[in-house]
Each structure stands twice: as structure tokens, then as C-alpha cells.
Amino acid sequence: VRGARRLVPDGARSALSIARRCVQGLAAPPRVHAVITNLGAPAIEVARGAPTRTPIATGDVLWRGACTLVAGSTLPDLGLDPGSLAPAAVRGDRFQLRCGDAGWRELLRGAPAAFRGDQPSSGLHDFLCNHVQIQLVDEICVEAGGELLGRRRGFEIALGDPVILASLGGEPR
């Protein structure tokens, strides 16, 4: 900005420059590179909220490249709007895997659409899977169900066996 040298002392300009670079680094950290492989039954790509007819075979790569988001869910909605994760409710034998390389600004702009169940960004892709492997180029912190699992370079997401509730005593409920 012209005239800034006269208005802002040298030390303050340096501090502002460093602060600007730090904020940019925190707001837009370098993207992690990932390879996401289908290890289970044929996965199904979801486009515009509905499954496509093209199965993705066991061992095939679902995603390769820069990745800012990998999320899996069996919940059909987030409690904000019925159907916000509608593809997760399509098949009881699959979870929804969302992955992509949307930038942080794009993710923020698309958040309202995501909570409505719409595709929030063209940079995000959805799949219905039952077992995937995520391999990362760099070690990153991984969170599952709100619990920090530590730094990892790879992990798997898979559906477990169904939970069966049984009453072993007393009167039936």
C-alpha cells in the first residue's frame, strides 16, 4: 500500500508481515497427499446425492492425490436437517466416505449445502463402502468419533458386525 512506509514504522511492518504469513499458514496449511483404496465389497460412487451404477472393485483406488478431507459416516443425518448425509442411509451394509481436495474457503462456502444434504463442493466426492484403507504421504493427527487417535501415516475404516441386544434376565421389555 502506497504511503504505508510513512504511516507504519519498520518494526511494525515486519511484525505485520510475519503475522500475515502465519495466519495464511494456519488458515491454509499444506495439503496432505493420500491414496484411498477399496478393501471391501465393491464400492459405489455417489453423485448428486444418489448412487451411480458404476461399482468400484476391491483393490481399486477411490482417491489419489492432494486431500483436505476424509470422513466416514453411517449416520443418515446430523440432526440439523433430515437427509443431510442421505447417501449413508441408502444401504445398511455400507458407510458413506467423503473425500476431496476442497480448499478451506470452498469448504466454508459449502457448509450450508452440506448440512442440507446437497453436494457442498465439486471438490468433494462421496462413496458407499464397507472397508477402505487410507495411506498418507505425511504423518498427520487422526480423529475418530471425537477421539484423537494420534499421528498416523495410514489407517483403515471398516464396518463392524451388527450389534445385537439381548435381555438375559427379568421380564421382556
Side-chain angles (χ1 to χ4, degrees):
V1 178
R2 287 192 173 160
R5 289 181 186 247
R6 284 181 266 148
L7 299 174
V8 181
D10 287 339
R13 278 199 317 268
S14 294
L16 288 171
S17 176
I18 291 168
R20 181 184 57 83
R21 287 188 187 117
C22 289
V23 168
Q24 283 177 333
L26 290 172
R31 291 185 167 110
V32 174
H33 287 265
V35 176
I36 302 172
T37 307
N38 181 31
L39 297 181
I44 302 164
E45 187 171 10
V46 176
R48 298 182 186 190
T52 64
R53 299 189 191 276
T54 309
I56 301 165
T58 303
D60 283 358
V61 172
L62 301 171
W63 181 269
R64 181 187 309 269
C67 196
T68 54
L69 173 73
V70 176
S73 178
T74 57
L75 301 174
D77 66 74
L78 298 173
L80 302 171
D81 181 21
S84 58
L85 290 173
V90 172
R91 303 264 312 251
D93 61 341
R94 301 283 193 274
F95 61 87
Q96 179 178 348
L97 178 75
R98 178 167 281 176
C99 56
D101 187 31
W104 68 275
R105 288 181 184 147
E106 187 176 357
L107 289 173
L108 286 175
R109 273 195 311 266
F115 287 122
R116 284 192 310 270
D118 300 335
Q119 187 72 9
S121 164
S122 61
L124 297 177
H125 300 274
D126 291 326
F127 302 91
L128 295 174
C129 313
N130 69 355
H131 188 182
V132 296
Q133 176 184 52
I134 293 103
Q135 296 173 303
L136 306 163
V137 172
D138 298 314
E139 197 173 72
I140 62 164
C141 287
V142 175
E143 177 196 338
E147 182 178 335
L148 188 60
L149 301 178
R151 297 183 67 79
R152 309 241 172 139
R153 195 168 259 193
F155 57 96
E156 293 181 18
I157 302 173
L159 281 180
D161 292 330
V163 175
I164 300 172
L165 300 175
S167 176
L168 300 176
E171 294 181 28
R173 297 180 191 189

